[in-house]
Amino acid sequence: MSGNKEESEVEVKSVFTGAGCNRVVNNVSWGASDLVSFGSQNAVAIFCPKTAQILTTLPGHKASVNCTHWIPSTKFAFKAKQLDRHYLLSGDTDGAIILWELTLADKKWRQVLQLPQSHKKGVTCITGIMVSETDAIFASTSSDGTVYVWELVLPSTAGGECKLSCLETLFVGSKPMVALSLAELPGNSGHMVLAMGGLDNKIHLYCGERTGKFVHACDLKAHTDWIRSLDFSLPICNDEVNSILLVSSSQDKGIRIWKMTLRGSLTNNQGTYRKEEISLASYIEGPVLVAGSSSYQISLESLLIGHEDWVYSVEWQPPSITSVEETTYHQPQSILSASMDKTMMIWQPERKTGIWMNVVTVGELSHSALGFYGGHWSPDGNAILAHGYGGAFHLWKNVGVDVDHWQPQKVPSGHFAAVTDIAWARSGEYMVSVSLDQTTRIFAPWKNSASLTDEESWHEIARPQIHGHDINCVAIIQGKGNHRFVGGADEKVARVFEAPLSFLKTMNLATCQKSSFPENLQVDVQILGANMSALGLSQKPIYVNTVQETPERNGNDGLDTLESIPDAVPVVFTEPPIEDQLAYHTLWPESHKLYGHGNELFSLSCDHEGKLVASSCKAQSAMVAEIWLWQVGSWKAVGRLQAHSLTVTQMEFSRDDSMLLAVSRDRQFSVFTIKRTGTDEVSYQLLARQEAHKRIIWSCSWNPFGHQFATGSRDKTVKIWAVEQDSSVKQMMTLPQFSSSVTALSWVGIDRQSNHGLLAVGMENGLIELWSLTINKSAAANLAVRFDTSLCHVSSVNRLSWRNPEKSEECRRMQLASCGADQCVRVFDVITK
């Protein structure tokens, strides 16, 4: 894992990654490998639906990832049994497409290549088919109005290289295509059909051979709005093998099924082509598609109406294997559709009449998301996955034995915008993160009581705040009493939140009663949970004794408007909650507002005793750049510290709470001495202030064992300083220059006797390094470990935080959390040798 062999006194492992899904169509793909890929900012994330954990993130794209596609996809899972390597294509908003390889045996990923010709604008859709075990054809489309068709020859032997060739470039004009699907034409080896649809409401069909040269064959005009999704079935094996079906969905809320039937070769046209008897399912004849010497009659098989909003995706159920030899397969007549109306539906034809009906609807109860951007089948057809407007996944599994019974399942979750700050609970049981997606989330390890080992898996277990402003900073109140945190958003007030009873009891279960959530603490807590307000700013408490009454709804009972938010039902969870529960029922009540700052809040810090909170806001003058001190409990302002002329970017109290360190955009740091004089009085004095770096100072961190601290800046340096005789500050050393701006620092103590510790350094390029520091009369530093890029963020690291400020004697393992602009929250195990 480490960068160089001789430095590996420290080993790093990834424990948890929490990330939200980019909110675009075609972003998610479920592969024959039974893994799901999705774009999360500039990274491609891979998650395992069985464990509900993100396994890895793949760095490589320089822009936001728009679409991913597995080769082989679930459609070809029946062909993929022998494959030891699977491939993944991903496209981004700059037009670049990257091919990745996964070796199943050791679960190792590698970037194989980037496609040589890139689109001029963002890639909107990638689709691919396996024409043989080592041969795949795929197509990509972009908002620049071009469609590329590629052939990919996979290596037949281990260690071989992939061969890539561009078969065709199609220019579609000023109205770009946003949906593609490829298929091999039945009964006609070597010919393929490419369907594309987009902004001109028509489905365009192109025919081509394996060697290339795709020609426009015909158009299907029926939809009245943009076409959003297309999918070909494999040949349907009933009495006639020579037909395939194409399903299309559109913003006109309708889904259409088209049938393409082989008319026989052009020579003996009369004999083989007979008129069907006219039945209810008899179709409207459409155009004839000519491919080489064969022609295909296209007809509209069915129109499916049921969704009440744009239908973003349609997908045929993957084929199942019928024979033991695995040579024949059966294509089920079953379609999954996902729509902006917050539902996914499964459609199947009725046995007797053949009329397509909606047989399953899921998702309609959720008030949360604005709707679904796409839906996908699992390879065995027993589970369906949706991704939605809230950057979240929703998974249902068919757990019924004789009759269908779709049950929601756990999935990974995370923020869908940059994560700005993280903080550990006072004993490290959970971690709070805040983000520009306007939510505050709590992640925690959930001990699996069923398993005998002490294994735990991390999940999002609460969403204490869902706000109307981007949230910039958070601080957890240390000390005794109930769990509380302060949050600061793009508004002038800081808000204080208190843990409700439902959360304390849930945490007690999650940690198997081995924690600081004792029953006696729960006795004093009279608040069960919280309700969201109409504007999404303040959260009102729900008291324990008033649960029985149902609130009277005023007048408009029947109207389910956007304003009427459902009442929260706070419950104690016995297993990690799913998205619908997180979106409403895990809020914390707001107990205080802290008024004082003149601009949006930027950073917060709490002292280790739990007596004081320091806050700062965005500032361009010395007056506004004051640091305010608030007394915990009474929440009175007890101090206004003047030292800086621009925004104070980070503050931290020293380990003994005698000093407060602040760093600012004005390139200076300041150290204040803090003395508690009376019960609610604080005296403070500026001990030192000096210009420390040539550019903005982004971060600072105290040595847990003494009065030394580190500052990190945009000038790519980290400097170590010492406070001497509590009267002045002198510089001890500068670490060697880093490759990128230093945006986050966190110092952890290893050994108090020798004053030895580790400094975690996070950079703007997403990389993280650990430096070993020993402080005596002078400071000695050396690089302990460089995190492997596959473990790191792909954009700026916004905050680093150790779970405990110093390493305990008996444990070799420490945990480091990080968050970044790439929407990720990560937890690492750091093992010192």
Side-chain angles (χ1 to χ4, degrees):
M1 286 297 183
S2 61
N4 296 11
K5 284 288 170 275
E6 69 270 290
E7 307 154 352
S8 55
E9 55 187 274
V10 177
E11 192 189 350
V12 180
K13 289 197 185 86
S14 172
V15 177
F16 168 70
T17 305
C21 180
N22 289 342
R23 303 186 296 162
V24 284
V25 193
N26 300 329
N27 181 24
V28 177
S29 176
W30 198 331
S33 56
D34 206 13
L35 298 177
V36 177
S37 62
F38 64 96
S40 181
Q41 211 241 6
N42 301 353
V44 180
I46 309 293
F47 89 77
C48 171
K50 288 193 175 55
T51 60
Q53 295 288 311
I54 294 177
L55 304 179
T56 184
T57 54
L58 309 175
H61 286 284
K62 294 181 177 59
S64 180
V65 175
N66 261 352
C67 46
T68 61
H69 187 83
W70 283 92
I71 291 179
S73 59
T74 43
K75 190 187 292 189
F76 296 96
F78 70 96
K79 280 190 182 176
K81 291 281 184 284
Q82 300 80 20
L83 291 181
D84 52 351
R85 279 169 297 173
H86 286 235
Y87 293 85
L88 178 66
L89 291 157
S90 58
D92 66 30
T93 51
D94 279 355
I97 297 177
I98 294 180
L99 175 71
W100 313 85
E101 177 185 78
L102 164 68
T103 313
L104 290 181
D106 57 0
K107 300 276 184 287
K108 286 272 189 295
W109 283 89
R110 73 181 183 100
Q111 182 177 329
V112 182
L113 51 86
Q114 182 169 334
L115 267 57
Q117 263 168 286
S118 67
H119 290 284
K120 307 281 181 294
K121 290 185 184 166
V123 182
T124 51
C125 181
I126 300 175
T127 182
I129 57 169
M130 302 284 292
V131 285
S132 73
E133 285 203 354
T134 57
D135 205 2
I137 307 278
F138 68 92
S140 63
T141 179
S142 154
S143 32
D144 63 6
T146 58
V147 176
Y148 289 135
V149 185
W150 302 82
E151 179 177 37
L152 178 67
V153 182
L154 306 178
S156 47
T157 57
E161 279 304 309
C162 295
K163 292 190 191 59
L164 182 78
S165 51
C166 184
L167 297 182
E168 181 66 288
T169 306
L170 302 166
F171 298 98
V172 296
S174 60
K175 295 196 168 174
M177 296 292 128
V178 294
L180 298 174
S181 187
L182 272 166
E184 291 185 272
L185 284 169
N188 178 354
S189 57
H191 275 81
M192 279 175 306
V193 57
L194 169 66
M196 53 175 92
L199 279 57
D200 63 358
N201 311 353
K202 293 185 268 204
I203 300 170
H204 305 275
L205 295 177
Y206 285 77
C207 280
E209 298 180 52
R210 289 268 295 277
T211 53
K213 207 69 212 117
F214 277 71
V215 290
H216 181 258
C218 59
D219 289 346
L220 305 178
K221 303 185 188 71
H223 286 292
T224 56
D225 204 337
W226 291 11
I227 288 163
R228 277 299 185 170
S229 180
L230 295 166
D231 192 30
F232 277 111
S233 71
L234 289 172
I236 303 280
C237 301
N238 38 24
D239 43 357
E240 37 172 345
V241 180
N242 294 336
S243 64
I244 54 172
L245 297 175
L246 169 68
V247 60
S248 61
S249 75
S250 157
Q251 288 180 187
D252 64 12
K253 308 174 193 175
I255 298 166
R256 290 172 186 263
I257 303 175
W258 309 84
K259 189 174 192 176
M260 298 173 60
T261 314
L262 181 62
R263 291 176 60 168
S265 61
L266 291 176
T267 46
N268 54 355
N269 182 334
Q270 295 76 30
T272 54
Y273 180 54
R274 66 174 204 284
K275 281 272 190 286
E276 306 263 329
E277 300 79 60
I278 292 172
S279 67
L280 191 56
S282 101
Y283 36 67
I284 308 151
E285 288 207 359
V288 173
L289 176 135
V290 178
S293 60
S294 315
S295 65
Y296 296 82
Q297 175 68 52
I298 302 177
S299 50
L300 181 63
E301 174 84 355
S302 185
L303 168 63
L304 314 183
I305 295 179
H307 283 296
E308 291 162 17
D309 209 332
W310 297 1
V311 185
Y312 265 131
S313 88
V314 279
E315 190 177 284
W316 287 96
Q317 185 176 332
S320 49
I321 293 157
T322 47
S323 69
V324 192
E325 298 86 61
E326 303 187 359
T327 48
T328 58
Y329 61 88
H330 164 65
Q331 166 73 62
Q333 297 236 11
S334 175
I335 291 170
L336 174 69
S337 62
S339 158
M340 226 23 190
D341 66 7
K342 308 176 194 174
T343 63
M344 281 207 300
M345 295 184 180
I346 298 176
W347 306 81
Q348 289 168 358
E350 258 187 15
R351 285 245 175 82
K352 292 200 182 78
T353 59
I355 296 174
W356 285 78
M357 304 289 281
N358 162 22
V359 292
V360 177
T361 305
V362 293
E364 69 271 48
L365 298 173
S366 93
H367 289 268
S368 52
L370 262 168
F372 294 142
Y373 278 142
H376 301 274
W377 290 97
S378 65
D380 59 7
N382 272 342
I384 50 179
L385 174 81
H387 72 286
Y389 181 79
F393 289 106
H394 305 258
L395 177 67
W396 288 269
K397 194 171 173 193
N398 189 1
V399 294
V401 185
D402 301 322
V403 58
D404 276 9
H405 181 48
W406 295 84
Q407 211 53 25
Q409 304 290 313
K410 283 201 301 270
V411 281
S413 64
H415 293 282
F416 57 85
V419 187
T420 45
D421 200 357
I422 46 175
W424 285 97
R426 53 197 177 202
S427 311
E429 308 89 349
Y430 60 86
M431 176 174 70
V432 175
S433 62
V434 295
S435 159
L436 302 183
D437 69 7
Q438 308 190 342
T439 64
T440 301
R441 304 185 190 224
I442 290 184
F443 297 96
W446 194 284
K447 284 212 171 29
N448 192 349
S449 50
S451 74
L452 299 167
T453 56
D454 206 19
E455 71 174 83
E456 48 186 37
S457 60
W458 282 75
H459 299 277
E460 181 181 348
I461 59 157
R463 208 168 289 171
Q465 186 186 10
I466 297 173
H467 203 41
H469 295 288
D470 295 0
I471 310 176
N472 300 322
C473 49
V474 66
I476 287 186
I477 309 297
Q478 306 298 321
K480 302 270 181 294
N482 192 8
H483 292 249
R484 289 175 291 187
F485 71 84
V486 189
D490 274 346
E491 48 180 353
K492 297 174 187 179
V493 291
R495 297 172 188 268
V496 184
F497 295 86
E498 212 158 303
L501 198 55
S502 56
F503 174 79
L504 298 172
K505 290 188 163 165
T506 299
M507 275 311 289
N508 215 6
L509 288 169
T511 53
C512 299
Q513 282 82 31
K514 301 194 256 299
S515 73
S516 66
F517 301 89
E519 302 295 329
N520 58 4
L521 170 62
Q522 297 179 13
V523 172
D524 305 334
V525 179
Q526 290 303 307
I527 295 176
L528 191 62
N531 264 323
M532 211 189 283
S533 71
L535 290 172
L537 293 176
S538 290
Q539 288 162 199
K540 305 283 181 284
I542 301 171
Y543 291 96
V544 173
N545 46 13
T546 58
V547 176
Q548 283 71 29
E549 306 169 20
T550 54
E552 287 290 312
R553 276 295 170 112
N554 45 5
N556 62 348
D557 284 347
L559 298 173
D560 181 20
T561 56
L562 280 173
E563 283 72 41
S564 69
I565 292 166
D567 287 316
V569 186
V571 289
V572 179
F573 295 111
T574 52
E575 57 178 28
I578 59 169
E579 178 68 20
D580 277 7
Q581 296 161 325
L582 289 167
Y584 279 100
H585 307 315
T586 60
L587 294 169
W588 288 22
E590 184 183 304
S591 61
H592 291 89
K593 291 184 180 68
L594 310 184
Y595 291 98
H597 286 290
N599 277 335
E600 299 91 341
L601 274 117
F602 196 81
S603 77
L604 284 162
S605 177
C606 179
D607 68 358
H608 299 86
E609 230 186 314
K611 296 277 168 50
L612 284 178
V613 169
S615 63
S616 75
C617 70
K618 295 178 184 172
Q620 269 153 6
S621 67
M623 186 68 191
V624 186
E626 290 177 327
I627 296 167
W628 286 58
L629 292 180
W630 309 87
Q631 187 179 34
V632 173
S634 72
W635 297 111
K636 288 211 295 262
V638 290
R640 295 167 67 171
L641 284 52
Q642 287 194 339
H644 296 284
S645 56
L646 294 172
T647 309
V648 172
T649 51
Q650 197 182 351
M651 301 167 291
E652 195 175 282
F653 286 90
S654 64
R655 194 75 194 115
D656 59 5
D657 288 340
S658 65
M659 296 180 194
L660 174 67
L661 163 67
V663 293
S664 160
R665 281 183 175 271
D666 62 13
R667 307 171 187 186
Q668 300 184 328
F669 67 73
S670 58
V671 178
F672 289 86
T673 53
I674 306 280
K675 288 194 182 65
R676 290 172 181 70
T677 47
T679 44
D680 44 3
E681 311 230 321
V682 172
S683 75
Y684 49 87
Q685 195 180 349
L686 181 62
L687 181 145
R689 176 180 73 202
Q690 75 183 70
E691 184 152 331
H693 290 271
K694 297 189 179 66
R695 306 291 299 275
I696 294 173
I697 309 178
W698 280 123
S699 57
C700 61
S701 186
W702 284 97
N703 175 9
F705 296 147
H707 285 171
Q708 298 83 26
F709 61 88
T711 57
S713 156
R714 183 181 273 172
D715 66 10
K716 305 183 183 179
T717 60
V718 171
K719 297 183 179 179
I720 311 294
W721 311 79
V723 181
E724 302 203 312
Q725 286 90 45
D726 290 351
S727 64
S728 66
V729 173
K730 82 161 208 282
Q731 183 177 342
M732 298 188 79
M733 70 176 301
T734 304
L735 297 185
Q737 188 154 1
F738 290 88
S739 57
S740 177
S741 301
V742 175
T743 50
L745 293 173
S746 186
W747 196 327
V748 64
I750 304 274
D751 178 33
R752 192 175 277 279
Q753 259 67 46
S754 61
N755 201 346
H756 168 60
L758 279 178
L759 179 67
V761 181
M763 289 168 265
E764 197 174 23
N765 57 13
L767 301 182
I768 301 172
E769 295 182 2
L770 294 184
W771 285 73
S772 167
L773 294 178
T774 309
I775 308 286
N776 300 320
K777 293 280 182 289
S778 64
N782 62 324
L783 176 64
V785 64
R786 245 186 211 117
F787 285 29
D788 193 276
T789 49
S790 64
L791 299 177
C792 291
H793 294 272
V794 293
S795 292
S796 181
V797 180
N798 284 336
R799 189 74 81 232
L800 291 166
S801 178
W802 293 93
R803 192 168 182 174
N804 298 312
E806 55 182 280
K807 185 168 98 78
S808 57
E809 291 298 315
E810 63 279 357
C811 188
R812 285 175 50 224
R813 190 186 76 150
M814 296 176 297
Q815 285 193 323
L816 172 69
S818 68
C819 69
D822 62 354
Q823 314 177 8
C824 281
V825 173
R826 295 170 185 271
V827 179
F828 305 99
D829 267 348
V830 176
I831 298 142
T832 52
K833 299 276 165 43

